Amino acid sequence: MSTPTSAPVAGDRGFAVAGNRRDTPATVSTFDLDAAWELNPKVALRPEPFGALLYHFGTRKLSFLKNLTVVGIVRSLAEHADAEAALAVAGIEAAERALYVQALTALADSGMIVRR
């Protein structure tokens, strides 16, 4: 699998979050790759040519996923025993791993994905 042309991280480098943003940084958490995750039932994922839009009906947050691999991983989380398996099936190599874990961490911190 090739490295994504836009890195799936928070901000303007491939994984962007917009909408009800706060000016203060969110609390940084450690993403548990050994846990079972899924798209939050309160979140709608709408595919777009650039990736996908995520809308959280509870918080009214809108997120843009600008990386098709991240979209695929998010969609597949519920099908796997844990996030580690979802990354493995997506073919994420060790060199790319930190970027994808960072993207999943941002999605978990914003409530877009939740533990099962």
Side-chain angles (χ1 to χ4, degrees), residues 50-67:
F50 59 80
L53 289 173
L54 296 175
Y55 181 75
H56 192 298
F57 288 96
T59 63
R60 298 175 54 182
K61 267 190 176 174
L62 178 65
S63 296
F64 299 91
L65 298 181
K66 296 182 182 180
N67 181 289

Side-chain angles (χ1 to χ4, degrees), residues 76-87:
S76 74
L77 284 172
E79 300 168 11
H80 300 288
D82 53 36
E84 185 71 56
L87 291 173

Side-chain angles (χ1 to χ4, degrees), residues 2-71:
S2 62
T3 303
T5 55
S6 58
V9 294
D12 61 354
R13 297 184 308 170
F15 173 80
V17 178
N20 296 334
R21 247 191 242 196
R22 292 192 171 97
D23 292 331
T24 57
T27 303
V28 177
S29 66
T30 303
F31 186 77
D32 185 0
L33 288 167
D34 296 323
W37 294 86
E38 67 182 353
L39 187 65
N40 187 327
K42 295 180 180 180
V43 172
L45 185 148
R46 186 174 88 187
E48 293 290 339
F50 59 80
L53 289 173
L54 296 175
Y55 181 75
H56 192 298
F57 288 96
T59 63
R60 298 175 54 182
K61 267 190 176 174
L62 178 65
S63 296
F64 299 91
L65 298 181
K66 296 182 182 180
N67 181 289
L68 294 175
T69 303
V70 173
V71 174

Side-chain angles (χ1 to χ4, degrees), residues 80-104:
H80 300 288
D82 53 36
E84 185 71 56
L87 291 173
V89 169
I92 304 305
E93 302 288 332
E96 306 168 310
R97 184 180 175 83
L99 295 174
Y100 287 92
V101 171
Q102 184 178 1
L104 291 173

